[in-house]
Amino acid sequence: MAQKPKVDPHVGRLGYLQALVTEFQETESQDAKEQVLANLANFAYDPSNYPYLRQLQVLDLFLDSLSEENETLVEFAIGGLCNLCPDRANKEHILQTGGIPLIINCLSSPNEETVLSAVTTIMYLSSPGSGSPPELTAMPVVQCMLRFSLSANTRLRNLAQIFLEDFCSPSQVAEARTWQAHSALGIPLPRTEAPQQPRPRETSQP
């Protein structure tokens, strides 16, 4: 288990968060980065922390971390954004800084928690009707949600069905179904949703 960040909780909320951000930027340890990002994502649950997190540019830190090869960092980063984007100011920042493509890319993650957070984040960023950025209901996203709506994972299936019903028009869903019928391509399901392949038996050497 990764150790907790070495910061003093008595320096005040802003000082504590600043110390976390500094540690994330300075440490070379992937374990320490994961622990710090997990802490920042947890702080994003509390709306009273939003002004501090915006001041410290934690939203940009989360967005930048979505491009990391480390799947754990991506999971915590999209989890943090998911916690932050119900707030209008945070939502606007994500939309204005080009965060949508980075978040959509998370739909193809092999990590199921990352995908769940990405779907939820897209729903928070969307507005029922015609008020959403068009990228959020582009054909690849709608096709992806159609596939997720058939997932064995109940949470993922339910979220995808809500997205299709509340944020997509019937014509968009119908068009996506037509495209799927003619193409096997699309955003893959998370790794845990893929059928398990039998492992070859190990043979002992004489």
Side-chain angles (χ1 to χ4, degrees):
M1 179 179 292
Q3 294 182 347
K4 292 183 178 180
K6 299 176 182 178
V7 294
D8 184 355
H10 302 294
V11 297
R13 188 70 60 90
L14 179 60
Y16 183 75
L17 292 169
Q18 175 67 74
L20 286 174
V21 172
T22 300
E23 180 170 357
F24 183 86
Q25 293 170 335
E26 294 181 352
T27 184
E28 298 295 329
S29 166
Q30 286 294 304
D31 285 344
K33 281 183 177 290
E34 291 172 8
Q35 182 66 50
V36 170
L37 210 61
N39 274 274
L40 289 170
N42 286 334
F43 274 106
Y45 271 119
D46 186 350
S48 67
N49 293 322
Y50 290 169
Y52 302 130
L53 295 172
R54 285 195 293 268
Q55 180 179 341
L56 297 171
Q57 298 180 319
V58 171
L59 281 83
D60 295 321
L61 187 152
F62 284 150
L63 288 169
D64 290 343
S65 297
L66 295 182
S67 302
E68 292 281 352
E69 294 183 1
N70 182 329
E71 286 287 347
T72 303
L73 290 179
V74 175
E75 176 188 341
F76 293 147
I78 189 63
L81 290 169
C82 185
N83 293 338
L84 288 167
C85 64
D87 176 79
R88 178 173 294 183
N90 294 337
K91 173 180 174 178
E92 288 301 317
H93 181 85
I94 293 169
L95 294 174
Q96 292 172 6
T97 53
I100 291 177
L102 296 170
I103 293 166
I104 289 175
N105 283 343
C106 290
L107 294 175
S108 61
S109 170
N111 184 322
E112 199 167 68
E113 290 300 321
T114 297
V115 174
L116 286 164
S117 293
V119 173
T120 307
T121 302
I122 289 171
M123 291 171 67
Y124 279 135
L125 294 175
S126 302
S127 301
S130 59
S132 300
E135 305 99 304
L136 293 172
T137 52
M139 188 56 56
V141 176
V142 181
Q143 287 179 307
C144 177
M145 296 298 180
L146 276 173
R147 297 185 67 245
F148 289 166
S149 71
L150 303 175
S151 169
N153 182 301
T154 303
R155 286 192 297 161
L156 183 57
R157 183 173 67 249
N158 290 343
L159 283 172
Q161 289 171 346
I162 292 170
F163 181 87
L164 292 169
E165 292 171 6
D166 291 358
F167 300 100
C168 301
S169 67
S171 61
Q172 286 177 309
V173 176
E175 184 180 356
R177 291 187 192 279
T178 301
W179 276 84
Q180 279 194 331
H182 293 86
S183 174
L185 300 177
I187 299 174
L189 288 170
R191 183 184 295 127
T192 52
E193 293 298 312
Q196 293 186 350
Q197 298 295 327
R199 297 178 61 184
R201 292 182 179 178
E202 296 182 1
T203 56
S204 57
Q205 297 293 328

